[in-house]
Amino acid sequence: MKRLIIAMSGASGAIYGVRALQVLRAIPDVETHLVVSPSAQRTLMEETDVTWDQLKALADVLHNYKDIGASIASGSFRTEGMLVAPCSVKTLSSIAHCNSGDLIARAADVVLKERRRLVVMFRETPLHAGHIAVMDQATRNGAIIMPPVPGFYHRPKTIDDIINQSVGRALDLFGFDAGIVKRWTEADTSLDLSALTPTNRD
């Protein structure tokens, strides 16, 4: 069983975290550990039709945002790493400066100190010098900054096409082929997500 931490902070783009959880449920032997900030819960309500109960049901394990004694707060608890989707400026700043005041920041710091993979879907634009500085510092700490910037070579026809490509490419960085990426020069073998409801693993 491979474990992956999924964290959702309060930036716009809650659907990225939702979609990551949805597609990971279709990958055998992956155990997801979810942490959601209070601001992310509000953003989820504003931006999607996914309820809080539906989101919780997508994860194998749900951790309290304030529980810095959770399993994922310890380096001895083995994971493949952590995806922060979406990532707010506040969360990125905490990661960059090792400010472990909540479980998202603490788990991210653990992933970095254990030399595991931390992928951060930073959702902010335009950027000022402070944003660029914290991206630089987080990168120096070992994080991979991956803003969900859409590509267009795969000829997206819907918003879902754009979301799936971004999430699939993020999961690629952990070695998970989610079956939703349309790859350059390869035949289209994308996973059909039409039947993948928030609570349906198959």
Side-chain angles (χ1 to χ4, degrees), residues 180-202:
I180 57 174
V181 175
K182 294 185 178 179
R183 303 187 186 280
W184 181 248
T185 75
E186 293 183 9
D188 184 6
T189 58
S190 299
L191 178 69
D192 180 7
L193 294 178
S194 60
L196 192 61
T197 63
T199 57
N200 179 11
R201 181 182 273 281
D202 300 321

Side-chain angles (χ1 to χ4, degrees), residues 49-81:
D49 294 324
V50 178
T51 68
W52 175 236
D53 285 340
Q54 287 174 326
L55 181 70
K56 291 189 294 183
L58 287 171
D60 293 299
V61 182
L62 176 69
H63 297 280
N64 187 295
Y65 173 72
K66 288 296 185 181
D67 184 11
I68 58 170
S71 58
I72 59 174
S74 172
S76 64
F77 187 77
R78 298 182 65 179
T79 70
E80 300 301 305

Side-chain angles (χ1 to χ4, degrees), residues 112-147:
L112 291 175
K113 78 180 183 68
E114 297 294 329
R115 305 302 191 268
R116 298 168 187 158
R117 187 147 287 192
L118 174 65
V119 178
V120 177
M121 297 185 80
F122 182 51
R123 260 291 301 122
E124 190 61 73
T125 188
L127 303 171
H128 60 58
H131 299 149
I132 294 168
V134 294
M135 285 193 289
D136 176 69
Q137 184 59 53
T139 301
R140 291 174 185 274
N141 292 349
I144 297 174
I145 309 299
M146 185 185 169

Side-chain angles (χ1 to χ4, degrees), residues 93-116:
S93 181
S94 294
I95 291 169
H97 299 294
C98 311
N99 180 2
S100 301
D102 59 65
L103 185 56
I104 292 179
R106 171 58 187 170
D109 200 54
V110 166
V111 165
L112 291 175
K113 78 180 183 68
E114 297 294 329
R115 305 302 191 268
R116 298 168 187 158

Side-chain angles (χ1 to χ4, degrees), residues 144-155:
I144 297 174
I145 309 299
M146 185 185 169
V149 178
F152 294 96
Y153 64 86
H154 61 288
R155 301 287 185 95

